[in-house]
Amino acid sequence: MISLQRIFALSLAAVLLWNCESKTPPMEYMPDMADSPAREAQEADSNFPNNTSLRLPPVGAVPQGYFPYEYAGWTQSLDALPNKGLANPIKGDLATLQKGEIKYQTYCSPCHGVRGQGNGTVVGPAPRLNMAQSDGSPMAALTSASAKAYSDGQIYHIITEGKGAMKSYASQVPSEDRWKIILYVRKLQEYDNRTAGK
């Protein structure tokens, strides 16, 4: 007579072999929450106070890779920026200047001109739009004495927050690229200094 242990062992072996060869998922006994119900994006879920499966970030959470600008919303003059704004953390090597030039030619040259003289294709010369700043003065030349006197932090603030007719470029130009543009603008200013008397 076959013992009860042999029957149990044969049954267990048959179940294991059946699960290995089956095309359907194996049977689970007590999955211990391994298969929790999934929620689709924006699906209603009454288990949470806002009745949605989307979770809100905690108050004060900062997205990864984002660094808040400490002078955001600064309404005083640029000269009142503490320490004239932030210091440029980027070193001016050749690759950085080339990236700065690409970004400058894309975002800045339409107004400020290819060489930073305020004569870009959008603003002048006449009979183009001949756009002026909000106070009526012509478009700012980045090679002017006042622009050369700005610190890197002040130029960064202008790109980030805007000034006069120029609106903020913070959404179009990442923070690191703004610093690279500033390095390129400094090279344009150096070139202007060398060629001013010629």
Side-chain angles (χ1 to χ4, degrees):
M1 181 170 186
I2 301 175
S3 69
L4 196 55
Q5 289 177 339
R6 281 189 178 183
I7 293 174
F8 180 73
L10 289 172
S11 300
L12 183 60
V15 167
L16 289 175
L17 288 174
W18 179 74
N19 277 335
C20 290
E21 296 175 4
S22 174
K23 300 289 184 194
T24 60
M27 294 174 19
E28 292 183 9
Y29 177 70
M30 294 183 68
D32 295 328
M33 297 175 63
D35 298 323
S36 60
R39 298 286 181 208
E40 296 294 329
Q42 302 178 1
E43 180 181 355
D45 189 347
S46 60
N47 294 320
F48 297 99
N50 62 354
N51 291 325
T52 180
S53 61
L54 295 175
R55 304 278 54 86
L56 297 175
V59 176
V62 177
Q64 184 176 357
Y66 171 77
F67 299 99
Y69 179 52
E70 61 183 282
Y71 301 116
W74 186 269
T75 56
Q76 301 174 34
S77 74
L78 290 176
D79 293 328
L81 277 172
N83 299 322
K84 294 200 172 188
L86 307 172
N88 195 334
I90 308 291
K91 300 296 179 209
D93 59 2
L94 181 60
T96 301
L97 288 171
Q98 288 173 337
K99 180 73 179 241
E101 179 182 10
I102 291 168
K103 294 297 181 177
Y104 175 87
Q105 298 303 337
T106 302
Y107 294 104
C108 310
S109 69
C111 292
H112 294 287
V114 174
R115 292 193 178 167
Q117 296 174 342
N119 60 350
T121 56
V122 172
V123 297
R128 298 189 199 274
L129 296 177
N130 227 5
M131 182 177 164
Q133 297 191 58
S134 57
D135 61 358
S137 60
M139 183 56 61
L142 300 176
T143 55
S144 67
S146 60
K148 289 176 184 176
Y150 284 149
S151 69
D152 288 356
Q154 289 171 317
I155 297 173
Y156 181 87
H157 182 77
I158 292 170
I159 297 171
T160 304
E161 296 288 308
K163 180 178 186 272
M166 178 177 161
K167 302 303 178 195
S168 169
Y169 275 78
S171 61
Q172 293 98 326
V173 184
S175 176
E176 183 176 333
D177 289 342
R178 284 177 242 161
W179 290 118
K180 292 175 183 177
I181 288 172
I182 292 166
L183 289 172
Y184 181 70
V185 166
R186 293 300 187 202
K187 288 297 177 189
L188 289 178
Q189 292 171 345
E190 287 177 20
Y191 178 78
D192 185 70
N193 289 339
R194 287 196 310 267
T195 59
K198 297 179 182 179

